[in-house]
Amino acid sequence: MNWAAIAPEIILCLGVFVVMLLDVTSKGKFNAGWLAAFVIFAAAVSVALQFENIEVGFSGMVLADRFAHMIRLVICTGALLATLTAAGSWKAKGANTIFGVDYFALLLLSVIGMDLLVTGAHMAVLFIALEILSLPLYAMAAGHGKHDEHVEAGAKYFLNGAFASGILLFGIALVYGATGSFNLEQIGRAIAQGDAHGLLVWIGGILIAIGFLFKIAAAPFHAWAPDVYAGAPTPTVAFYSAAPKAAAVGLLLRLTLSVFADIPMESFLWGIAWLSMLVGNLLALRQHDLKRLLAYSGIAHMGYALVGLAAGGSSAVGAVSFYLLGYAGMSVGGFAVLCAISHGGVSATLENVAGLGKRHPALAAVLSIFMFALAGIPPTVGFAGKFVVFSEAVRADLVGLVIWAVLFSALSVYYYLRVVVAMWMWPPTEESAAIDPPASLRPALWLATLVTMIPGLYPQPFLDLAGSSLFWLL
Amino acid sequence: MGLLSFLIFWPAVAGIALLLWPRDEGKELGIVAAIASAVELVASLWLWFGFVPGGGFQFVEKAAWIPRFGINYALGLDGISLLLVLLTTLLTIIAVVSSFTGIKQGRRGYYASLLFLETGVIGAFCATDVFLFYIFWEAMLIPMYFLIGIWGGERRIYATVKFVLYTMVGSLLMLVAILWTYQYSNAGGNGTFDLFAWYQLNIPAGAQLWLFAAFALAFAIKVPMFPFHTWLPDAHVQAPAAGSVMLAGVLLKLGTYGFMRFAMPLFPDGYAVLADTIRVLAVIGIVYGAAMTLIQSDVKSLVAYSSVSHLGFVMLGLASLNLIGASGALLQQINHGISTGALFLLIGMIYERRHTRQIADYGGIFATVPVFTIIFLIVTLSSIGLPGTNGFVGEFLILLGAFQTSPAAAIISTTAVILAAGYMLWLVRRVFFGPLTHPENEKILDLDRRELAVVIPLVALIIWIGVYPKPFLARIEPDLKTWVEQVKPPQYGAPADPSESFTLPAAEVTR
């Protein structure tokens, strides 16, 4: 037993109990969001305190190395931003934002799953972690079942997720069959020593990767994402957009670059990266619903992250971690603004944000920053992140893929700018006049803006942190 | 904090202060912006007097920024950037003051955008770290995008999106080239983005071709060279007057500056392969731009197309690869900023009075606005390169330089000079002279004192550079000599001493 290895998870677990107790005692009058945010912050602090340590526990089933710490920090950042967003939208009258105290219990549970996913060193832990991560997400998508579109989103997400879990299990079984172990270290050693059945491991590895590619909505496993994003409550989508993706990409990094390092997966990842950028950017071009737009943009951004994954190498690990941190800021920030917009019951579409710059200049300015960041324009973290990821890819001689990536980036400028154009250059409409952003969303917006701007202006400490996130295994 | 850092960040600080200003309307916003840009102008004059000709890069500042990638906050200024920085500070205050009456809504954002733009431009001119340059280069897109998109004309959204997309495609490919070049510097594990270190890199010729092409595309779009020019007339026509001044006066120069500072000296072997292509495109741009002006009915798009032609001259001068041509090219960049900036200002002033830019809506207005007419005429003459004005010195040096390398290019381009004289004088005749055709033009007011104060400095510069260009040439020539050596591709058989390529010192040639 090494409890230190799962210290953040324990804190989160206690948080879940406290939040659920509050649900019983306070009869829904207490905004549990702030408490949940505090719990996540405490978990992040506990990660930061043991950042230098490598903790192995539970008979080697859990491994908290510096890479796990780094990704846990990214997860906590994304989750904290999303929790503040949800807390700020508490008890809103709008169609998309009704939820109770249990919402935050589910959210914390899901964060536990994410953390375990990147600390798990055993296939069983990974699978259980994925389910702990996913089941609350399905429930959160469905809201309280008060709206048909929420229920539909939850059902769609559940069915797709169950399918992905099945594929993952199949992959795990194949790898077990080929190597005779569930333990990541032993699997890696068996593959490296050539003891494993090559083709079985390869198929198993690809199937496991596909299971997680479903989670991050990389093309061609993305089809659920826009529908689920559009249907689910906006604060939930803010949560979906960053933290689970960081966890899944983190695990993919560990699996492909460390455990399955000797299996040729580069061209597979290359193809997935290219396809995600293509599909995400092209389909985003014609979206008027901003939630769908950000959903497709998320697909494209996972494509950029996978460019780093395809590059491989220990420095690529740092680059992708840094990218995920930046993406957490700008993506959750974007959804937080959408929460502010839809707070008064206005649906967040391109037409409805027309003239927002005149009515709510601060809100429009913040959304513009997130849009410029997502488009990768300096001096935001969006640019810095693309810069480090692409430079890793050029180092790995993937110049062709990088050229595709920048061409798709240029394309993406068009649809991100359209939002900015609508806000600042279109005349205000009746709908946009009804937008009434709640002051309680300000902490989320401020924090997201800081996460988007500071690593863009002064990336060094963040790069150092991400760069030191090495695998302990292999 | 060094002088260059002050010059870069002072406008940004003033811009943020303006954004936080409690009121969005009211004249004090313009005055605050004018004071801020006046401080900037005065500070930039320190550069002019403190600059030692031939002293290489001066006012150098360097601090580690992202050591992990060998990225520094590194600034420096040589003769090439000196004049461009001064041009920027001068045109910014003129742009600010000229907007007092024309901009009535959203003043906070408007003046802040102008000042942020100044930050980006000066930063790009002073950066000696390629990463830092790229940051400024990209970041200045944002204020320009807002300037055109919010305060522009009817089709402003189309124009501004086109402007940003064109620029982004070019600059993102440049980013790939930057990352690729970085890998060469990183061969020993000590990668850097330091420009001077990059000048020393030994990059294989095959790679240089691609790297040069990627850099050149980004800069060619910004210049804009034919056939990448189509965003320019749209952006110009839709931009507010001050936006056009900044766009033509300063932003386009970043393209030619990029060629001078980055694309050509970093990849001379790559440039050697594409030099003829660039020269041909420059000549096509000169003639095509001039020809297109003939059929424009809108004064602003006429001046915009003439910019395509003028910038073609600059590129021709650079492509001549000798000191005369390069001096002419650099001086012509400044001249174009002054003359075209003044033209856009004047067009903006008359537009404020009559709310039309169609040539057909004017005619014979010399009688009502004599002062305006005379100033417009002087600027026009400078634009067509009449001896005694700045335009003559620049064009003359360029053609002289081009003639040494490619007589055919020089001869064809000279015909465009005649064409230019034709369209500009035709424009002046149709707008100002002859009988007064539209009765509503009878009551147009002539220039007031503020407007005169804005244009007189430009007219003074037109004549100063035209009559006595020596102080300017003296500051740029030593650095250009080094530059020519750096850039000249091997097969041109560079003479041992670049000054042998012509017989007289440039200043004497022009007199």
Side-chain angles (χ1 to χ4, degrees), chain A residues 422-444:
Chain A
M423 286 192 299
W424 296 99
M425 301 168 198
W426 289 3
T429 58
E430 269 180 42
E431 283 81 8
S432 63
I435 290 172
D436 177 26
S440 50
L441 267 169
R442 275 185 205 151

Side-chain angles (χ1 to χ4, degrees), chain B residues 203-250:
Chain B
I203 303 172
Q208 280 202 25
L209 176 63
W210 291 105
L211 293 171
F212 177 80
F215 271 80
L217 177 69
F219 298 137
I221 288 172
K222 200 81 155 191
V223 168
M225 285 179 77
F226 178 87
F228 309 108
H229 64 281
T230 60
W231 63 269
L232 179 83
D234 286 314
H236 263 320
V237 172
Q238 299 304 326
S244 297
V245 172
M246 293 301 282
L247 192 60
V250 182

Side-chain angles (χ1 to χ4, degrees), chain A residues 315 318 358 361 368 372 375-379 383-384 386-388 390-392 394-395 399 402-403 406-407 409-411 413-414 416-421 424-427 456-460 463-464 466-468, chain B residues 64-71 105 108 131 134-143 145-151 156-157 160-161 164-165 168-170 172-183 186 193:
Chain A
S315 51
K358 287 215 173 66
S368 304
F372 285 129
I377 294 176
F383 170 72
K386 274 185 185 161
F387 178 82
V388 293
F390 292 171
S391 83
E392 284 306 319
V394 171
R395 182 190 51 72
V399 178
V402 174
I403 289 178
V406 300
L407 288 178
S409 293
L411 186 69
V413 172
Y414 175 76
Y416 291 125
L417 278 192
R418 257 195 341 164
V419 181
V420 182
V421 162
W424 296 99
M425 301 168 198
W426 289 3
L457 289 167
Y458 190 57
Q460 183 61 33
L463 284 172
D464 281 343
S468 65
Chain B
W65 181 21
I66 314 177
R68 193 180 165 74
F69 282 88
I71 294 170
Q105 285 190 327
R108 272 189 307 214
F131 183 86
Y134 189 82
I135 295 273
F136 283 124
W137 166 272
E138 284 282 274
M140 83 184 113
L141 273 180
I142 300 173
Y145 161 77
F146 281 119
L147 276 177
I148 302 177
I150 299 181
W151 294 277
R156 59 187 187 275
I157 293 173
T160 195
V161 171
V164 172
L165 283 184
M168 281 299 277
V169 171
L172 282 169
L173 286 176
M174 177 166 78
L175 178 65
V176 180
I178 289 176
L179 292 172
W180 193 356
T181 316
Y182 171 72
Q183 298 307 327
N186 201 22
F193 282 88

Side-chain angles (χ1 to χ4, degrees), chain B residues 2-3 15 60 124 221 294 312 328 343 355 369 410 413 427 429 474 503:
Chain B
L3 181 56
V60 172
I221 288 172
L294 286 170
L343 279 177
H355 295 284
V369 285
S413 309
L427 167 76
R429 192 187 64 76
T503 44

Side-chain angles (χ1 to χ4, degrees), chain A residues 273-315:
Chain A
W274 184 82
L275 201 62
S276 298
M277 294 188 287
L278 175 85
V279 168
N281 283 313
L282 279 187
L283 294 182
L285 281 178
R286 298 197 59 81
Q287 303 303 325
H288 281 247
D289 183 332
L290 296 186
K291 272 164 85 181
R292 290 185 79 89
L293 189 147
L294 285 184
Y296 282 113
S297 125
I299 295 169
H301 275 274
M302 286 305 114
Y304 303 132
L306 291 180
V307 170
L309 199 61
S314 59
S315 51

Side-chain angles (χ1 to χ4, degrees), chain A residues 4-47:
Chain A
I6 55 166
E9 289 79 7
I10 294 172
I11 294 175
L12 289 164
C13 225
L14 292 174
V16 173
F17 288 130
V18 175
V19 166
M20 292 209 303
L21 277 177
L22 275 174
D23 189 26
V24 180
T25 52
S26 77
K27 301 201 164 82
K29 280 176 193 158
F30 176 72
N31 186 347
W34 307 117
L35 179 64
F38 176 76
V39 170
I40 293 171
F41 180 72
V45 169
S46 81
V47 175

